[in-house]
Amino acid sequence: VPGVPVPVEAGDGAMRTPLLTQDEQVDVLERLDFVLRNISELRKEVEELRNSLQHLAAEIVGEVRSHLEETQKVTRRRRFPFPRERSDSTGSSSIYFTASSGAANTDDGESEGGYTTANAESDYDRESERESEEGEDEVSCETVRTARRDSLDLVNEDETHLILDSSLEEGLGQLLQQADRLHNGDEQEKREGFQLLLNNKLAYADQKDFLWRLARAHSDMCETTEDIDEKRSYASDGKEELEIALRKWDQSAECHQWYAILCGQLSEHESIQKRIQTGYVFKEHIDKAIELKPEDPKSYYLLGRWCYQVSHLGWLEKKTASALFEAPPTATVQDALQNFLRVEELSPGFSKAGRIYIAKCYRDLGNNSAADLWMNLASELPVNTKEDAESERELEEMRSVWQE
C-alpha cells in the first residue's frame, strides 16, 4: 500500500505513513475478492448459455431440414398437364436512367414445364386442399434466415450446410418452372412468385439459376408497387443478391442482364450524377450479357433503349456527363435502330414497345414511310404488359402528331 512521501531531510530511518488504514485495506481486499468471484460465476453462466444456444441451433437446423425434405416430397407428387401461355414484356421507361424489368427472359425455354397457378382449377387445387386439411405448416422465410444466421457461429459447418441430393435437384427444376410462369403472369402472380422464391431461398441460395430468378422477382416487385421507398428497397435487395452471384458466376448472361436492370431501377429517383454513373454500369453489364449470350433479343432491346436515351440526352445531362467523366456516353439514333432491328431478327414481334421504338428511330432519321410501316406492325401486337399499354397510348399520340 503506497504511503505518504517522507521529507528528504528525515533520513533513511524515517517511517512512511500508509495512505489506507488497516481496516480500509481489508475492505479493498474483500471488494477485489467479490469482483473475482462474480467474474468466475459470470464465466460459468456464459459457458452454460453458449452450450444451450448450440443445442437450440442444432434443433432448429434439424427442423428446417426435415421441413424441406417433406416439402420436396409433396412437390414431387404434383403434376401439372396444362402449361400457361407465355407472354413477353420488355421493360418500362428510360433505360439510360432506369432499366425496367418487365421483359421475360427469352431463355425460358430451358425451364418450360407444367405448372398452373392458384387461379386455375385442376387436380393440383384438389390435392392442395387435401394437403391443407392435413395441416401442413408454412415456415416463415424471415425465421429461417434468422435461424441460419444465428447458428453459423454456434454449430459446425457440416451441420448447417444443406446438400442438394437428387430429390432436391428435382424440386429445384420444378420450382424454377413455376417461378418462370408466375413471372409471366399478372401482378398477383408476380407477388406469388416472389414469395415462392423467398420461401425456398435457404435450400437453393447457392444455385445460380435460382439466384438470378430471385433477383428478377425483386425487379417484378419494384415494378408492381407504387411506393417509392418500397421500389428502392426491392431494387436494392435484388441488386445485392446479384452482387453475390456475380462473384461466383461472372460468366452468367442472366446475372449480368438483371444486374443492369436492377441498377437502372435503383437509380430511377436519384440525382442526375447518380443516373449518369448508373448509365455506365448498365452499358457495361448489358455488353457483357450480349457477349455471353449473343442470341438473346432482350439484351439487344435493352441496349437499344440505352442508345436511344443517350442520343436524346438534354443539354444539362450532357454538360453534367462532360464535367464528371473524361469520356461522356455517346450513342446515335442509328445505333439504337440497329439494336431494335436485331431484336426483330432474333424474335419477330418480341415486343410492341420495340416496334414503336423502331418507328420513332425511322421518324428521327427522316424515313417517314418506314416509320408508318413499323407503326402499323406495332398495332398488330397485343397489349400484354404495363409497358405495352403505355406504348399503345404513345403510339396514338405519335400518329396524331405525325398526321398534323
Side-chain angles (χ1 to χ4, degrees):
V1 178
V4 177
V6 179
V8 176
E9 59 272 11
D12 295 336
M15 298 294 295
R16 292 177 177 269
T17 304
L19 291 177
L20 300 176
T21 64
Q22 184 174 2
D23 291 340
E24 291 173 336
Q25 293 177 28
V26 171
D27 182 61
V28 169
L29 292 175
E30 289 178 350
R31 289 176 180 272
L32 290 174
D33 183 61
F34 175 76
V35 170
L36 291 175
R37 287 199 306 272
N38 283 338
I39 291 175
S40 177
E41 293 175 359
L42 180 61
R43 184 178 299 165
K44 293 179 181 179
E45 292 178 0
V46 169
E47 185 63 27
E48 292 175 358
L49 179 60
R50 178 181 178 82
N51 293 335
S52 298
L53 290 176
Q54 288 178 337
H55 180 69
L56 177 60
E59 289 183 352
I60 292 174
V61 171
E63 291 178 2
V64 171
R65 182 184 290 109
S66 299
H67 173 79
L68 291 174
E69 292 174 353
E70 179 62 26
T71 300
Q72 300 309 320
K73 292 178 182 178
V74 172
T75 302
R76 290 197 300 274
R77 293 199 301 268
R78 297 175 179 170
R79 293 295 182 267
F80 306 95
F82 304 107
R84 175 180 300 275
E85 182 180 355
R86 296 176 55 201
S87 61
D88 292 333
S89 60
T90 50
S92 64
S93 61
S94 188
I95 286 300
Y96 181 67
F97 298 118
T98 167
S100 174
S101 63
N105 192 342
T106 57
D107 193 36
D108 289 343
E110 67 184 62
S111 58
E112 287 292 326
Y115 270 85
T116 59
T117 65
N119 295 328
E121 294 185 1
S122 66
D123 291 340
Y124 166 68
D125 296 313
R126 292 189 289 274
E127 184 176 351
S128 297
E129 291 174 2
R130 290 197 298 271
E131 290 169 356
S132 62
E133 291 173 358
E134 293 171 2
E136 254 190 67
D137 20 322
E138 299 289 337
V139 175
S140 166
C141 177
E142 183 61 33
T143 302
V144 172
R145 286 201 300 267
T146 303
R148 187 183 187 191
R149 193 165 52 242
D150 292 342
S151 65
L152 288 178
D153 296 328
L154 300 175
V155 296
N156 294 331
E157 182 179 357
D158 293 339
E159 297 175 349
T160 59
H161 182 62
L162 301 177
I163 301 176
L164 282 174
D165 56 15
S166 59
S167 64
L168 288 179
E169 291 177 354
E170 179 185 351
L172 175 61
Q174 296 177 345
L175 173 67
L176 299 184
Q177 291 172 6
Q178 188 177 12
D180 288 339
R181 296 195 174 281
L182 292 173
H183 164 70
N184 291 328
D186 56 24
E187 291 187 357
Q188 179 59 34
E189 289 172 322
K190 290 181 188 294
R191 294 189 186 96
E192 292 175 8
F194 175 71
Q195 193 60 48
L196 173 69
L197 291 171
L198 277 185
N199 289 342
N200 286 274
K201 182 179 177 182
L202 180 62
Y204 302 115
D206 59 346
Q207 298 297 303
K208 175 191 67 176
D209 291 335
F210 176 87
L211 274 182
W212 72 255
R213 283 175 171 83
L214 177 59
R216 181 184 66 183
H218 278 89
S219 179
D220 288 342
M221 295 301 295
C222 180
E223 277 202 330
T224 300
T225 184
E226 299 296 333
D227 184 82
I228 300 301
D229 291 335
E230 288 184 2
K231 284 180 176 291
R232 289 173 177 166
S233 178
Y234 283 127
S236 177
D237 291 346
K239 179 172 173 283
E240 289 177 3
E241 295 287 356
L242 284 178
E243 285 174 348
I244 296 173
L246 284 172
R247 296 192 192 108
K248 187 174 182 180
W249 300 293
D250 183 57
Q251 299 303 304
S252 168
E254 291 82 7
C255 288
H256 284 283
Q257 185 183 87
W258 286 99
Y259 185 80
I261 290 172
L262 285 159
C263 284
Q265 287 178 317
L266 188 59
S267 69
E268 182 175 357
H269 302 285
E270 301 289 348
S271 64
I272 292 178
Q273 177 180 349
K274 183 64 176 178
R275 294 198 299 269
I276 292 175
Q277 290 174 338
T278 301
Y280 284 92
V281 176
F282 179 90
K283 176 68 160 50
E284 175 187 351
H285 286 275
I286 288 300
D287 286 343
K288 184 67 173 179
I290 291 176
E291 176 187 342
L292 294 171
K293 197 172 183 180
E295 301 304 314
D296 185 356
K298 180 181 174 65
S299 293
Y300 290 100
Y301 173 81
L302 294 172
L303 183 57
R305 290 285 302 270
W306 185 89
C307 291
Y308 191 85
Q309 294 298 326
V310 169
S311 68
H312 286 76
L313 284 178
W315 178 86
L316 180 58
E317 287 84 0
K318 291 180 179 179
K319 288 296 183 182
T320 303
S322 298
L324 293 175
F325 305 99
E326 294 182 1
T330 57
T332 64
V333 174
Q334 187 65 41
D335 295 331
L337 177 61
Q338 293 303 315
N339 283 291
F340 290 129
L341 291 176
R342 177 63 172 159
V343 173
E344 284 292 320
E345 178 184 343
L346 293 172
S347 179
F350 177 77
S351 75
K352 189 181 192 74
R355 289 186 172 181
I356 291 177
Y357 268 101
I358 293 176
K360 292 167 68 174
C361 289
Y362 277 123
R363 182 69 178 184
D364 293 342
L365 295 171
N367 191 339
N368 295 337
S369 60
D372 291 336
L373 171 63
W374 282 98
M375 285 174 59
N376 294 330
L377 291 174
S379 301
E380 297 174 357
L381 297 180
V383 175
N384 294 322
T385 66
K386 182 187 298 184
E387 189 194 18
D388 284 341
E390 296 173 354
S391 299
E392 181 75 17
R393 291 192 294 269
E394 185 178 4
L395 180 61
E396 295 302 324
E397 294 176 359
M398 289 168 57
R399 277 179 172 160
S400 61
V401 171
W402 293 353
Q403 287 174 357
E404 294 176 358

